[in-house]
Amino acid sequence: MKNNDYDAIVIGAGFSGAVAAREIADSGKKVLIIEKRKQIGGNMYECFDKDGIRIHLYGPHIFHTNNEDVFRYLKRFANFYKYEHKVIGKIKNRLVPIPFNYKSLDILFNKTEATEIKKKLSELYPNIHKISVLELVNNNDETIKKFGEYVYENVFANYTAKQWGIPVSKIDKSVINRVPVVLGYDDRYFDDKIQYMPEDGFTELFKNMLESENIDIKLNTNILDIIKLRDGKTYIADKEYINPIIFTGAVDEFLEYKYGRLPYRSLNLVFENYKVDKFQENSVVNYPNEEEFTRITEFKYLTKQRTDRNTTILKEYPIMYNEETAKKSDPYYPIQNEKNMETYNKYKNELEKYNNIYLVGRLAEYKYYNMDIAIERALNLTSEIMEEKEWKIKSK
Ligand SMILES: Cc1cc2nc3c(=O)[nH]c(=O)nc-3n(C[C@H](O)[C@H](O)[C@H](O)COP(=O)(O)OP(=O)(O)OC[C@H]3O[C@@H](n4cnc5c(N)ncnc54)[C@H](O)[C@@H]3O)c2cc1C
């Protein structure tokens, strides 16, 4: 098929692009997906490494949501198993649950201190499950204040400074405000109602999602090599293309960085293979303080893969994403501040002049989205486009 025969073109085969493509395909329209990588799945891509261990190539991804519609939608493409994620962290050479909870308190404080802190917390915050560390730090009660400062310094400050590459003193209060302390023994990392993983992994889920006679996929193709934007018109392979183009890549790259680069934090992902059954006692161990990496993930815990001879782990070293590191890394975490949002809006405003271009996703919207939100946004956008175009949704 020629490009112009497609009713829509979707750039990027991560969740934002794949969901959009599937929705349009289900309405009986033909879609072309253009993906610059050699595989589908975006950041959620999983594959088997040289030892046959299933890994998440772009960092560990755990599905969790309170949105039942999103989960119902995903269940069309995969079977899922219940997986409640737990994280432990190395604090003062002990391994304790993260977010910090009563069990962490019991491990790190002596019995008398721990009992006093728990008693005061339950008096001050009856029936409250979770509070911000800032609330504790600003408390008038000396014991609670000191406890808050302990959690802030040992669990949060260095981890965040490492992750964002800034001194602790420059960390925005709103970020600190989001750091929870759990008032109880619930040691789950997320408290969403729905916490599941796809049985055969995310790549298989994507394959099923994109399995449609109405979807064609072109891999190893950077849209920048074939698209031209001129005076409000889009040209693909030198022919004007008037149907919707759903773009899920980075807007600064799309417009050749004409307003400057949008800064991102990224990760240097270091995989290590071991000839042992288990490397660590939990799927994820955080290292807030001494080490240069922030966390170690052992994939077998996430994927439930059974093999007792070897295991693969991933160490994450935070880095800046820039011209130099771009060759080896990917833009991961948008750094949202006033200046960067001003730059982003210049790109967005310019792209809005092209009324067949739609931006959706973590990169195109320069905003960190968990998978469920990315899926929800892609579903909403496509239903808007379909309504506008009067494309009927066929029964699925
Ligand atoms: C390290 C890390 C861990 C995460 N862990 C979790 C988690 O545990 N749970 C959770 O819910 N969310 C997690 N997320 C968020 C999750 O990755 C996002 O929700 C998801 O990536 C959003 O999908 P997307 O399609 O918008 O972007 P992406 O997955 O990044 O997909 C964009 C696709 O577009 C392609 N593309 C870009 N530019 C072009 C171009 N010019 N031409 C052609 N193709 C192009 C890219 O190659 C990519 O395949 C994590 C994110 C990171 C960075």
Side-chain angles (χ1 to χ4, degrees):
M1 263 173 80
K2 298 208 175 89
N3 294 330
N4 271 307
D5 296 334
Y6 290 99
D7 299 295
I9 292 183
V10 172
I11 321 298
F15 260 134
S16 303
V19 167
R22 178 69 194 214
E23 284 299 280
I24 294 171
D26 279 347
S27 76
K29 301 290 166 190
K30 295 275 179 200
V31 193
L32 173 65
I33 299 183
I34 293 177
E35 167 57 60
K36 70 177 174 185
R37 289 180 181 155
K38 61 180 191 312
Q39 76 271 333
I40 57 171
N43 252 7
M44 280 65 54
Y45 175 70
E46 287 181 52
C47 58
F48 290 92
D49 70 3
K50 67 180 175 58
D51 285 344
I53 303 292
R54 205 167 90 209
I55 58 169
H56 294 200
L57 197 64
Y58 302 99
H61 278 73
I62 292 120
F63 183 75
H64 58 100
T65 187
N66 283 319
N67 188 328
E68 284 170 18
D69 292 339
V70 165
F71 188 42
R72 199 172 311 119
Y73 181 79
L74 284 186
K75 281 197 287 190
R76 286 174 51 199
F77 310 110
N79 293 324
F80 284 78
Y81 57 88
K82 200 165 174 57
Y83 173 81
E84 290 197 318
H85 190 50
K86 293 187 180 172
V87 172
I88 54 179
K90 187 179 145 208
I91 314 290
K92 294 193 179 291
N93 270 325
R94 309 288 301 273
L95 291 174
V96 307
I98 305 284
F100 207 91
N101 64 20
Y102 283 4
K103 193 169 165 196
S104 330
L105 224 167
D106 291 342
I107 296 173
L108 289 167
F109 288 73
N110 72 44
K111 202 170 174 192
T112 321
E113 283 174 323
T115 309
E116 191 197 350
I117 296 168
K118 284 186 284 186
K119 184 166 174 280
K120 285 198 169 173
L121 287 171
S122 58
E123 281 164 9
L124 283 166
Y125 309 103
N127 305 322
I128 292 181
H129 175 61
K130 224 184 215 183
I131 50 166
S132 148
V133 71
L134 212 56
E135 167 84 33
L136 301 178
V137 170
N138 292 332
N139 205 285
N140 292 330
D141 184 293
E142 213 32 52
T143 311
I144 297 301
K145 185 179 165 64
K146 271 203 183 138
F147 168 60
E149 284 167 355
Y150 178 94
V151 177
Y152 174 80
E153 274 160 30
N154 291 291
V155 182
F156 165 73
N158 295 330
Y159 190 93
T160 308
K162 260 197 276 190
Q163 192 167 26
W164 292 98
I166 47 172
V168 177
S169 56
K170 290 216 171 129
I171 294 169
D172 197 275
K173 277 247 160 50
S174 67
V175 176
I176 305 173
N177 219 3
R178 290 201 295 266
V179 180
V181 172
V182 175
L183 305 179
Y185 286 92
D186 180 358
D187 60 356
R188 293 171 311 157
Y189 193 67
F190 305 113
D191 53 16
D192 287 340
K193 282 188 294 195
I194 298 165
Q195 304 192 32
Y196 284 84
M197 291 291 269
E199 240 166 54
D200 299 319
F202 284 103
T203 305
E204 289 303 310
L205 184 156
F206 272 83
K207 278 187 195 160
N208 293 336
M209 187 180 274
L210 296 177
E211 179 65 50
S212 159
E213 57 181 15
N214 288 335
I215 299 178
D216 288 333
I217 307 173
K218 229 184 232 178
L219 298 174
N220 293 310
T221 310
N222 192 326
I223 188 68
L224 302 180
D225 296 336
I226 51 173
I227 200 168
K228 281 201 181 69
L229 307 180
R230 213 179 305 126
D231 305 328
K233 291 183 177 171
T234 51
Y235 299 83
I236 293 189
D238 293 329
K239 294 234 164 63
E240 191 181 352
Y241 185 80
I242 56 167
N243 292 332
I245 296 176
I246 297 172
F247 181 74
T248 74
V251 285
D252 55 347
E253 187 193 17
F254 199 19
L255 291 178
E256 293 168 358
Y257 307 106
K258 66 188 284 190
Y259 302 116
R261 275 183 172 268
L262 283 169
Y264 286 89
R265 288 296 284 170
S266 185
L267 296 167
N268 180 16
L269 300 174
V270 178
F271 293 87
E272 294 176 5
N273 299 63
Y274 290 90
K275 299 263 172 243
V276 292
D277 178 21
K278 295 270 165 63
F279 176 86
Q280 60 191 22
E281 63 179 76
N282 195 58
S283 58
V284 174
V285 180
N286 280 6
Y287 290 85
N289 300 313
E290 293 84 11
E291 290 76 3
E292 269 181 58
F293 47 85
T294 47
R295 59 179 179 174
I296 297 182
T297 300
E298 186 167 3
F299 292 101
K300 276 160 69 174
Y301 287 97
L302 303 182
T303 59
K304 304 238 183 268
Q305 187 179 3
R306 280 199 206 107
T307 136
D308 53 6
R309 262 181 259 144
N310 33 32
T311 193
T312 303
I313 62 152
L314 169 65
K315 291 181 178 163
E316 295 177 31
Y317 295 83
I319 53 171
M320 196 64 200
Y321 178 79
N322 53 33
E323 234 168 323
E324 204 183 306
T325 58
K327 285 171 208 115
K328 284 196 197 147
S329 62
D330 291 282
Y332 278 156
Y333 303 105
I335 304 178
Q336 281 201 332
N337 58 32
E338 219 173 292
K339 180 169 164 266
N340 298 343
M341 289 318 289
E342 223 173 83
T343 311
Y344 171 75
N345 283 326
K346 286 185 191 161
Y347 286 113
K348 184 170 171 251
N349 292 341
E350 177 144 350
L351 287 166
E352 270 170 4
K353 292 181 196 149
Y354 298 81
N355 52 25
N356 61 332
I357 294 183
Y358 299 85
L359 305 177
V360 69
R362 184 177 56 90
L363 298 166
E365 296 180 78
Y366 194 59
K367 191 164 185 188
Y368 180 88
Y369 291 131
N370 275 324
M371 290 181 255
D372 60 333
I373 307 290
I375 293 164
E376 188 186 344
R377 294 187 68 78
L379 287 170
N380 290 343
L381 174 74
T382 36
S383 74
E384 275 166 34
I385 295 174
M386 293 196 295
E387 208 168 295
E388 193 183 301
K389 300 269 165 206
E390 297 183 353
W391 292 346
K392 299 260 180 314
I393 301 176
K394 292 200 172 158
S395 61
K396 291 164 191 168

